[in-house]
Structure formats: C-alpha cells, structure tokens
Amino acid sequence: MRSNEKPGGHGDRAVAAGIVDMALWDAAAKADRQPLHRALRQRFALPGPPAQDVAVYAAGGYYYPDSTLGSLREEIQSYLDLGYRTVKVKIGGAPLAEDLARIEGVLAILPAGCRLAVDANGRFDLATALRYAEALSAYDLAWYEEPCDPLDYLGHAVAAEAYPGTIATGENLFAVQDVRNLLRHGGLRSDRDVLQMDPSLSYGAGEYAAMLDCLAAHGWSADRCWPHGGHLFNLAVASAFGLGGCESYPRVFEPFGGFADDAPVEAGRVRLSERAGVGIEGKAALHSLVRRLFD
C-alpha cells in the first residue's frame, strides 16, 4: 500500500492503511485459528508467551454542555465501579481555576491506589502549557497528556523540564520518523514519561513494531507505551508486545470502543480472550453492527 509514496506527510493515509492492516490481521489470525495477541507474538518472533491480561485506564471527563462537577464525579465513580483504577479527564476547555476544581473534585472521590490523568489534547501554547504545568505539580497525577501541539517537540522539551511529573504524548504521531524526532528533540524522560502511539492509526502493527525498535535504540522500554484508542486490536497489541497498558472508553465511541463482553475489568486489568482473530465476536453490539452492514 505504501509503494511509491513520497516520504513525510503521515496523516490520513496512515489511518487508512492501519484499518486495512487491522482487517488483514483479523483474517490471518482466524485462518491460523489463533487469537490476535498470540498471532502477533508468533509473527514478530517475540520470546515467551504474550501477556494474559493488560492494564487499562478509563478515558472520559469531557466537557458536556450540561455537565457539572457532580455529574463529572458520577461519571468517574461509574468507571471505578466497573473495575478501573486509573481514570482520565480533559483539561483546557475551561479556565484554569475551573479545571483545577474539576481535578480536585475527582481526586476527592478516588480510593487509595487509584490515579487520575489529565489530557489537554495539544491545545495549549507554550505559555499556557507551562502555567498548567506549574499548577498541576501540586497534585499526584498519573500524567499530564499532550500539553502542546504534538509536533511541537521543543515545546514538549520545555514542558518536561518544568513539570516534575509524568508527561504523556504520541497519539498523533503516525510513523517511525515522527517518533524518532520526538525522542531526539522532545526532552522526554524514559524513566517516567508515557508514549501513546496508536497502532491502528499508524499504518498498523508492522509500523508499530518498528516504533518499538526505535524506542529500544533510544533506551526506552516497551512498558512506557500505553496506546491511544480503547479497542480490541490495540489491546491485543499491548498483550503481544508487552506494553504498559492500553486506553479504554467505557462510555465513549461505542460500540467500537471497549473490550469483550465476557472480559470485565478487574483491579484495573482486562484478561485477553482466546477467540480467534481480533475477537469482535465477543462484543455483541459491535458484532451485530458489522453483520448489519454486510448483510
């Protein structure tokens, strides 16, 4: 699919190729009568078995038109009730003082052992990113996500120098070249920061494997990776490649988001299914939608 492509400009074409790659992996694993996480582990000749369960976190906390601090806390409590131990909310869509009130409101209901991450979706200029970094340093957050435009590597380097906690980024990087530039110029720290490249948006599993090789060459471990995109394909990738975990959307992007109906979240982890392929047959709402589309 990428033959005769000019280099650079990774974007929509990376997503299109990634979706085709996902379908081909589903077919190949089904033909081999294997679940995808085992097929990937075998194809990429990785030693040992894939992980049997994967850490997941619940992404939510959007700025709904009728949302209040009370409704935000109810939403987060619903994720905790589902078994999640790390949750994520948006920041940057309200004034700083209001965002801090939202953060404090969520932290107040988190039990011991649970963590809160925040996500700016790359909306801040550097001055605003630094203002938030200073304010967020007062809290024990899981991470501060996408403080700057994803391709503003210098901005990330300055933010990382100012923020002592964990910075997460990478969901909007779609090729090895982008990841290499982030590692060279983004000032991120391999002992604490989190990388969120999304295999299904980045030409597929092969490109993601090349990203992991690039990370290893720069002294990064695969367990610093938590892919964006809470769905079954990325869950299988996380298991196969020994990643730190995977995003989840308990209330957003259904029926595409989420995992198998018979694989509940337990203590912040999801067990991998042994269904052949990606495993959408174990997610009734998604499987039903696909059947209606093709009937």
Side-chain angles (χ1 to χ4, degrees):
M1 286 185 289
R2 297 175 66 181
S3 62
N4 298 320
E5 283 280 3
K6 292 174 65 178
H10 306 287
D12 288 347
R13 74 186 190 200
V15 179
I19 299 306
V20 175
D21 180 81
M22 186 189 307
L24 292 172
W25 271 110
D26 183 51
K30 280 187 166 74
D32 204 28
R33 296 181 174 85
Q34 288 196 91
L36 178 59
H37 60 288
R38 296 192 185 280
L40 288 167
R41 190 87 181 175
Q42 182 180 68
R43 168 63 179 81
F44 288 96
L46 299 170
Q52 291 303 295
D53 56 69
V54 170
V56 292
Y57 71 91
Y62 288 78
Y63 294 98
Y64 300 106
D66 56 349
S67 64
T68 64
L69 182 55
S71 64
L72 173 62
R73 289 168 63 140
E74 289 175 3
E75 177 189 350
I76 297 303
Q77 185 61 56
S78 73
Y79 301 153
L80 299 175
D81 293 343
L82 288 172
Y84 291 93
R85 293 295 176 263
T86 299
V87 295
K88 186 173 79 176
V89 302
K90 300 298 182 182
I91 58 172
L96 175 58
E98 185 177 333
D99 274 339
L100 296 181
R102 284 162 47 88
I103 289 169
E104 292 173 3
V106 171
L107 289 173
I109 67 168
L110 293 185
C114 294
R115 304 292 303 281
L116 171 65
V118 297
D119 183 2
N121 281 118
R123 68 177 292 115
F124 295 149
D125 59 25
L126 182 56
T128 307
L130 293 176
R131 192 157 53 92
Y132 268 77
E134 181 179 10
L136 296 176
S137 296
Y139 308 104
D140 180 24
L141 298 177
W143 63 70
Y144 173 21
E145 183 172 332
E146 284 199 315
C148 309
D149 184 284
L151 296 180
D152 183 1
Y153 303 126
L154 179 58
H156 278 87
V158 175
E161 186 174 356
Y163 184 64
T166 297
I167 286 179
T169 192
E171 71 174 74
N172 289 299
L173 303 181
F174 305 123
V176 172
Q177 292 85 349
D178 293 338
V179 172
R180 184 179 296 117
N181 278 333
L182 177 67
L183 299 177
R184 286 172 172 170
H185 309 298
L188 299 185
R189 303 147 298 184
S190 61
D191 65 325
R192 78 194 76 169
D193 292 326
V194 168
L195 300 178
Q196 300 169 308
M197 291 78 71
D198 185 335
S200 63
L201 303 183
S202 308
Y203 296 108
E207 186 79 2
Y208 193 78
M211 290 178 181
L212 292 177
D213 288 342
C214 178
L215 291 176
H218 285 77
W220 285 72
S221 169
D223 64 10
R224 302 312 305 165
C225 295
W226 289 66
H228 161 271
H231 50 72
L232 288 162
F233 184 83
N234 284 356
L235 183 71
V237 170
S239 165
F241 289 98
L243 308 184
C246 185
E247 189 171 30
S248 176
Y249 293 106
R251 290 181 53 183
V252 189
F253 307 131
E254 290 291 353
F256 299 97
F259 311 119
D261 299 334
D262 57 358
V265 179
E266 297 180 342
R269 304 186 73 85
V270 168
R271 189 167 183 81
L272 274 290
S273 166
E274 290 300 314
R275 293 182 183 87
V278 173
I280 66 169
E281 295 82 3
K283 189 167 172 53
L286 178 57
H287 193 222
S288 175
L289 173 62
V290 171
R291 288 178 63 90
R292 289 199 304 272
L293 288 174
F294 289 96
D295 280 349

